[in-house]
Amino acid sequence: IQLYCNQVFVTDSVEGIVPEFLTMLQGVIDSPDIPLNVSRSYLQSDANVKKISSHITKKVADKLNEMFKADRKAFEEKWEDMKMIVEYGMLTEQKFYEKADKFALYQNVDGECATWGEYIEKIKVNQVDKDGKTIVLYTNDKEAQHSYIAEAKEKSYDVLVLDGPIISHLIQKLETEKENVSFVRVDADSMDKLINKGNDLPSVLSEDDEKSLKETIESILAKEQYVVQFESMSPTSSPFTITRSEFMRRMNEMSATGGGMFGMNNMPDMYNLVVNGNHPLVSKVLGEKDADTQKEMLKEATDLAKLSQGLLKGEELTLFIKNRYNDLG
Protein backbone atom coordinates (compact mmCIF):
# COMPACT_ATOMS: atom_id res chain seq x y z
CA ILE A 1 0.00 0.00 0.00
CA GLN A 2 1.34 3.41 -0.98
CA LEU A 3 0.10 6.61 0.64
CA TYR A 4 -0.36 9.76 -1.48
CA CYS A 5 -1.52 13.30 -0.71
CA ASN A 6 -3.22 14.87 -3.73
CA GLN A 7 -1.30 12.50 -6.06
CA VAL A 8 2.07 13.25 -4.39
CA PHE A 9 3.78 10.17 -2.91
CA VAL A 10 4.18 10.34 0.88
CA THR A 11 5.19 6.87 2.17
CA ASP A 12 4.75 3.15 1.76
CA SER A 13 5.17 2.49 5.52
CA VAL A 14 1.50 2.44 6.36
CA GLU A 15 1.35 0.18 9.42
CA GLY A 16 -0.63 2.83 11.26
CA ILE A 17 -3.18 3.23 8.50
CA VAL A 18 -3.93 -0.25 7.19
CA PRO A 19 -5.34 -2.65 9.83
CA GLU A 20 -2.86 -5.42 10.66
CA PHE A 21 -5.01 -8.23 9.24
CA LEU A 22 -5.15 -6.44 5.85
CA THR A 23 -1.42 -5.80 5.37
CA MET A 24 -1.40 -8.17 2.37
CA LEU A 25 -3.54 -5.68 0.40
CA GLN A 26 -2.05 -3.94 -2.61
CA GLY A 27 -3.07 -0.51 -3.84
CA VAL A 28 -2.95 3.24 -3.35
CA ILE A 29 -4.52 5.56 -0.78
CA ASP A 30 -4.78 9.20 -1.86
CA SER A 31 -5.93 11.62 0.85
CA PRO A 32 -5.86 15.43 0.94
CA ASP A 33 -5.77 15.34 4.76
CA ILE A 34 -2.32 13.73 5.14
CA PRO A 35 0.73 16.09 5.34
CA LEU A 36 3.66 15.44 2.99
CA ASN A 37 6.05 15.27 5.95
CA VAL A 38 4.49 12.35 7.78
CA SER A 39 6.04 10.57 10.77
CA ARG A 40 5.28 7.25 12.47
CA SER A 41 4.00 9.03 15.60
CA TYR A 42 1.69 11.14 13.42
CA LEU A 43 0.23 8.05 11.76
CA GLN A 44 -0.49 6.53 15.17
CA SER A 45 -2.24 9.58 16.63
CA ASP A 46 -3.95 11.54 13.86
CA ALA A 47 -7.76 11.35 13.75
CA ASN A 48 -7.82 11.41 9.94
CA VAL A 49 -5.57 8.36 9.84
CA LYS A 50 -7.93 6.48 12.14
CA LYS A 51 -10.85 7.40 9.87
CA ILE A 52 -8.96 6.06 6.84
CA SER A 53 -8.21 2.81 8.70
CA SER A 54 -11.86 2.41 9.64
CA HIS A 55 -12.90 3.17 6.06
CA ILE A 56 -10.53 0.52 4.63
CA THR A 57 -11.93 -2.08 7.04
CA LYS A 58 -15.49 -1.19 6.02
CA LYS A 59 -14.70 -1.27 2.28
CA VAL A 60 -13.07 -4.72 2.52
CA ALA A 61 -15.94 -6.13 4.59
CA ASP A 62 -18.53 -4.69 2.21
CA LYS A 63 -16.66 -6.10 -0.80
CA LEU A 64 -16.50 -9.58 0.73
CA ASN A 65 -20.20 -9.43 1.58
CA GLU A 66 -20.94 -8.34 -1.98
CA MET A 67 -18.94 -11.32 -3.34
CA PHE A 68 -20.80 -13.65 -0.98
CA LYS A 69 -24.22 -12.43 -2.09
CA ALA A 70 -23.36 -12.28 -5.81
CA ASP A 71 -21.97 -15.81 -6.17
CA ARG A 72 -22.03 -17.89 -3.01
CA LYS A 73 -20.67 -21.02 -4.70
CA ALA A 74 -17.58 -19.16 -5.94
CA PHE A 75 -17.19 -17.54 -2.51
CA GLU A 76 -17.28 -20.97 -0.81
CA GLU A 77 -14.59 -22.24 -3.20
CA LYS A 78 -12.33 -19.31 -2.19
CA TRP A 79 -13.14 -19.53 1.51
CA GLU A 80 -10.31 -21.89 2.47
CA ASP A 81 -7.78 -19.39 1.07
CA MET A 82 -9.26 -16.35 2.81
CA LYS A 83 -10.65 -17.70 6.07
CA MET A 84 -7.48 -17.09 8.12
CA ILE A 85 -7.53 -13.40 7.14
CA VAL A 86 -11.25 -13.06 7.89
CA GLU A 87 -10.97 -14.89 11.22
CA TYR A 88 -8.00 -12.75 12.28
CA GLY A 89 -9.97 -9.63 11.33
CA MET A 90 -12.95 -10.83 13.36
CA LEU A 91 -10.65 -11.20 16.37
CA THR A 92 -8.86 -7.88 16.10
CA GLU A 93 -11.44 -5.44 14.70
CA GLN A 94 -14.90 -5.35 16.31
CA LYS A 95 -16.50 -3.44 13.42
CA PHE A 96 -15.12 -5.95 10.93
CA TYR A 97 -16.47 -8.78 13.12
CA GLU A 98 -19.97 -7.28 13.06
CA LYS A 99 -19.94 -7.19 9.24
CA ALA A 100 -18.10 -10.49 8.72
CA ASP A 101 -20.65 -12.29 10.90
CA LYS A 102 -22.99 -12.17 7.88
CA PHE A 103 -20.63 -13.89 5.42
CA ALA A 104 -18.06 -15.83 7.48
CA LEU A 105 -18.49 -19.53 6.75
CA TYR A 106 -18.30 -22.59 9.01
CA GLN A 107 -17.62 -25.93 7.34
CA ASN A 108 -18.64 -29.28 8.79
CA VAL A 109 -16.87 -32.64 8.43
CA ASP A 110 -18.99 -33.40 5.34
CA GLY A 111 -17.72 -30.28 3.56
CA GLU A 112 -21.01 -28.34 3.88
CA CYS A 113 -20.63 -24.58 4.46
CA ALA A 114 -23.02 -22.37 6.42
CA THR A 115 -23.10 -18.89 7.91
CA TRP A 116 -23.46 -18.64 11.67
CA GLY A 117 -27.21 -17.96 11.47
CA GLU A 118 -27.77 -20.89 9.10
CA TYR A 119 -25.71 -23.26 11.23
CA ILE A 120 -27.41 -22.44 14.54
CA GLU A 121 -30.80 -22.91 12.83
CA LYS A 122 -29.62 -26.33 11.67
CA ILE A 123 -28.45 -27.65 15.06
CA LYS A 124 -30.71 -25.78 17.50
CA VAL A 125 -33.13 -28.69 18.00
CA ASN A 126 -30.80 -31.67 18.42
CA GLN A 127 -27.75 -30.02 19.99
CA VAL A 128 -29.27 -28.28 22.99
CA ASP A 129 -28.38 -29.46 26.50
CA LYS A 130 -30.60 -29.74 29.57
CA ASP A 131 -29.92 -26.09 30.46
CA GLY A 132 -31.10 -24.83 27.06
CA LYS A 133 -27.59 -24.04 25.83
CA THR A 134 -26.73 -24.76 22.18
CA ILE A 135 -23.60 -26.93 21.95
CA VAL A 136 -21.40 -26.57 18.87
CA LEU A 137 -19.28 -29.69 18.42
CA TYR A 138 -16.05 -29.34 16.48
CA THR A 139 -12.88 -31.14 15.45
CA ASN A 140 -9.49 -29.74 14.56
CA ASP A 141 -8.31 -33.00 12.96
CA LYS A 142 -10.83 -35.18 11.12
CA GLU A 143 -8.43 -38.12 10.78
CA ALA A 144 -7.09 -38.23 14.33
CA GLN A 145 -10.57 -37.75 15.86
CA HIS A 146 -12.43 -39.99 13.40
CA SER A 147 -13.84 -42.36 16.05
CA TYR A 148 -15.25 -39.46 18.09
CA ILE A 149 -16.82 -37.91 14.98
CA ALA A 150 -18.39 -41.27 14.03
CA GLU A 151 -19.92 -41.56 17.50
CA ALA A 152 -21.32 -38.02 17.25
CA LYS A 153 -22.84 -38.82 13.87
CA GLU A 154 -24.53 -41.91 15.34
CA LYS A 155 -26.45 -39.49 17.54
CA SER A 156 -27.23 -37.30 14.48
CA TYR A 157 -24.98 -34.53 15.81
CA ASP A 158 -23.23 -32.21 13.36
CA VAL A 159 -19.49 -31.56 13.75
CA LEU A 160 -17.65 -28.47 12.48
CA VAL A 161 -14.05 -28.43 11.29
CA LEU A 162 -12.31 -25.62 13.17
CA ASP A 163 -8.56 -25.68 12.69
CA GLY A 164 -5.70 -23.21 12.51
CA PRO A 165 -3.42 -21.53 15.06
CA ILE A 166 -5.92 -18.88 16.23
CA ILE A 167 -9.05 -21.01 16.39
CA SER A 168 -9.11 -21.21 20.22
CA HIS A 169 -9.10 -17.40 20.36
CA LEU A 170 -11.90 -17.22 17.76
CA ILE A 171 -14.00 -19.73 19.69
CA GLN A 172 -13.56 -17.67 22.84
CA LYS A 173 -14.66 -14.57 20.90
CA LEU A 174 -17.76 -16.30 19.48
CA GLU A 175 -18.79 -17.61 22.91
CA THR A 176 -18.55 -14.04 24.23
CA GLU A 177 -20.52 -12.50 21.36
CA LYS A 178 -23.16 -15.21 20.90
CA GLU A 179 -25.87 -15.81 23.45
CA ASN A 180 -26.25 -19.20 25.14
CA VAL A 181 -23.70 -21.03 22.98
CA SER A 182 -20.74 -23.25 23.92
CA PHE A 183 -18.09 -24.87 21.74
CA VAL A 184 -16.85 -28.33 22.70
CA ARG A 185 -14.33 -30.45 20.81
CA VAL A 186 -15.57 -33.96 20.09
CA ASP A 187 -12.86 -35.57 22.23
CA ALA A 188 -13.40 -33.32 25.27
CA ASP A 189 -15.72 -35.77 27.06
CA SER A 190 -17.72 -38.94 26.58
CA MET A 191 -20.36 -38.44 23.88
CA ASP A 192 -23.27 -38.71 26.33
CA LYS A 193 -21.75 -35.88 28.37
CA LEU A 194 -20.74 -33.54 25.53
CA ILE A 195 -24.38 -32.55 25.13
CA ASN A 196 -25.86 -33.42 28.50
CA LYS A 197 -29.57 -33.97 28.01
CA GLY A 198 -30.10 -34.82 31.68
CA ASN A 199 -31.01 -38.43 30.91
CA ASP A 200 -28.71 -39.95 33.53
CA LEU A 201 -28.64 -43.73 33.60
CA PRO A 202 -28.17 -45.76 36.81
CA SER A 203 -24.83 -47.54 37.13
CA VAL A 204 -24.63 -51.32 37.32
CA LEU A 205 -21.35 -51.07 39.26
CA SER A 206 -21.10 -50.85 43.01
CA GLU A 207 -18.66 -48.53 44.75
CA ASP A 208 -16.44 -51.53 45.57
CA ASP A 209 -16.46 -52.57 41.89
CA GLU A 210 -15.38 -49.10 40.82
CA LYS A 211 -12.66 -48.92 43.49
CA SER A 212 -11.22 -52.31 42.54
CA LEU A 213 -11.29 -51.57 38.82
CA LYS A 214 -9.79 -48.10 39.30
CA GLU A 215 -6.83 -49.49 41.25
CA THR A 216 -6.09 -52.04 38.52
CA ILE A 217 -6.36 -49.47 35.71
CA GLU A 218 -4.12 -47.01 37.56
CA SER A 219 -1.48 -49.71 37.91
CA ILE A 220 -1.44 -49.97 34.09
CA LEU A 221 -1.55 -46.26 33.24
CA ALA A 222 0.82 -43.45 34.13
CA LYS A 223 -0.94 -41.86 37.10
CA GLU A 224 0.58 -38.45 36.45
CA GLN A 225 -0.98 -38.31 32.96
CA TYR A 226 -4.37 -40.00 33.31
CA VAL A 227 -7.27 -39.53 35.71
CA VAL A 228 -9.65 -42.49 35.84
CA GLN A 229 -13.36 -41.58 35.95
CA PHE A 230 -16.49 -43.74 35.96
CA GLU A 231 -19.67 -42.70 34.18
CA SER A 232 -23.05 -44.34 33.69
CA MET A 233 -23.70 -44.36 29.97
CA SER A 234 -25.57 -46.41 27.42
CA PRO A 235 -24.30 -50.02 27.14
CA THR A 236 -23.75 -49.34 23.41
CA SER A 237 -21.39 -46.40 24.06
CA SER A 238 -17.63 -46.97 24.10
CA PRO A 239 -16.39 -48.93 27.15
CA PHE A 240 -13.22 -46.83 27.54
CA THR A 241 -12.77 -43.30 26.20
CA ILE A 242 -9.83 -40.93 26.60
CA THR A 243 -10.83 -37.28 26.80
CA ARG A 244 -9.16 -33.99 27.58
CA SER A 245 -10.80 -31.08 29.39
CA GLU A 246 -12.03 -28.46 26.90
CA PHE A 247 -11.04 -25.65 29.26
CA MET A 248 -7.51 -26.90 29.97
CA ARG A 249 -6.76 -27.75 26.35
CA ARG A 250 -8.10 -24.44 25.04
CA MET A 251 -6.17 -22.40 27.62
CA ASN A 252 -3.01 -24.29 26.68
CA GLU A 253 -3.53 -23.54 22.99
CA MET A 254 -4.32 -19.88 23.62
CA SER A 255 -1.23 -19.47 25.80
CA ALA A 256 0.92 -21.05 23.09
CA THR A 257 -0.26 -18.48 20.52
CA GLY A 258 -0.41 -15.48 22.87
CA GLY A 259 -3.29 -14.88 25.26
CA GLY A 260 -5.01 -17.19 27.69
CA MET A 261 -3.89 -17.69 31.27
CA PHE A 262 -0.23 -17.01 32.04
CA GLY A 263 1.89 -20.14 32.29
CA MET A 264 -0.81 -22.51 31.03
CA ASN A 265 1.36 -23.68 28.11
CA ASN A 266 3.84 -25.06 30.66
CA MET A 267 1.22 -27.30 32.22
CA PRO A 268 1.67 -31.05 31.51
CA ASP A 269 -0.85 -32.75 29.25
CA MET A 270 -3.53 -34.39 31.38
CA TYR A 271 -6.16 -36.81 30.09
CA ASN A 272 -9.25 -38.43 31.53
CA LEU A 273 -9.83 -42.15 31.03
CA VAL A 274 -13.62 -42.44 31.15
CA VAL A 275 -14.91 -45.90 31.99
CA ASN A 276 -18.47 -46.70 30.91
CA GLY A 277 -19.62 -48.74 33.90
CA ASN A 278 -22.66 -50.05 32.01
CA HIS A 279 -20.75 -51.58 29.09
CA PRO A 280 -20.75 -55.42 28.92
CA LEU A 281 -16.94 -55.45 28.53
CA VAL A 282 -16.52 -53.80 31.93
CA SER A 283 -18.76 -56.43 33.56
CA LYS A 284 -16.76 -59.15 31.77
CA VAL A 285 -13.49 -57.73 33.13
CA LEU A 286 -14.91 -57.60 36.65
CA GLY A 287 -16.12 -61.19 36.29
CA GLU A 288 -12.62 -62.41 35.46
CA LYS A 289 -11.15 -64.12 38.53
CA ASP A 290 -7.57 -64.37 37.32
CA ALA A 291 -5.79 -61.07 38.14
CA ASP A 292 -3.25 -61.37 35.31
CA THR A 293 -5.94 -62.05 32.70
CA GLN A 294 -7.97 -59.13 34.03
CA LYS A 295 -4.92 -56.87 33.68
CA GLU A 296 -4.33 -58.06 30.11
CA MET A 297 -7.96 -57.32 29.18
CA LEU A 298 -7.73 -53.84 30.67
CA LYS A 299 -4.36 -53.17 29.02
CA GLU A 300 -5.78 -54.02 25.58
CA ALA A 301 -8.93 -51.94 26.18
CA THR A 302 -7.00 -48.88 27.37
CA ASP A 303 -4.51 -49.25 24.49
CA LEU A 304 -7.43 -49.18 22.04
CA ALA A 305 -8.69 -46.01 23.71
CA LYS A 306 -5.21 -44.46 23.41
CA LEU A 307 -5.01 -45.54 19.77
CA SER A 308 -8.27 -43.75 18.92
CA GLN A 309 -6.87 -40.54 20.47
CA GLY A 310 -3.50 -40.89 18.74
CA LEU A 311 -1.75 -41.34 22.10
CA LEU A 312 -0.32 -44.79 21.45
CA LYS A 313 3.20 -44.13 20.19
CA GLY A 314 6.71 -45.54 20.05
CA GLU A 315 7.30 -48.84 21.82
CA GLU A 316 3.73 -48.98 23.11
CA LEU A 317 2.35 -48.83 19.57
CA THR A 318 4.85 -51.38 18.24
CA LEU A 319 4.01 -53.82 21.04
CA PHE A 320 0.26 -53.33 20.53
CA ILE A 321 0.52 -54.10 16.80
CA LYS A 322 2.78 -57.11 17.46
CA ASN A 323 0.30 -58.56 19.98
CA ARG A 324 -2.55 -58.02 17.52
CA TYR A 325 -0.71 -59.97 14.84
CA ASN A 326 0.00 -62.74 17.35
CA ASP A 327 -3.72 -62.91 18.16
CA LEU A 328 -4.51 -63.26 14.45
CA GLY A 329 -1.94 -66.03 14.14
Side-chain angles (χ1 to χ4, degrees), residues 51-62:
K51 285 180 184 177
I52 293 171
S53 177
S54 179
H55 183 67
I56 293 170
T57 301
K58 179 181 181 300
K59 290 290 285 184
V60 171
D62 288 345

Side-chain angles (χ1 to χ4, degrees), residues 299-313:
K299 181 73 169 69
E300 183 172 0
T302 53
D303 280 348
L304 279 169
K306 287 182 186 179
L307 189 67
S308 69
Q309 180 70 299
L311 295 172
L312 204 61
K313 299 173 182 176

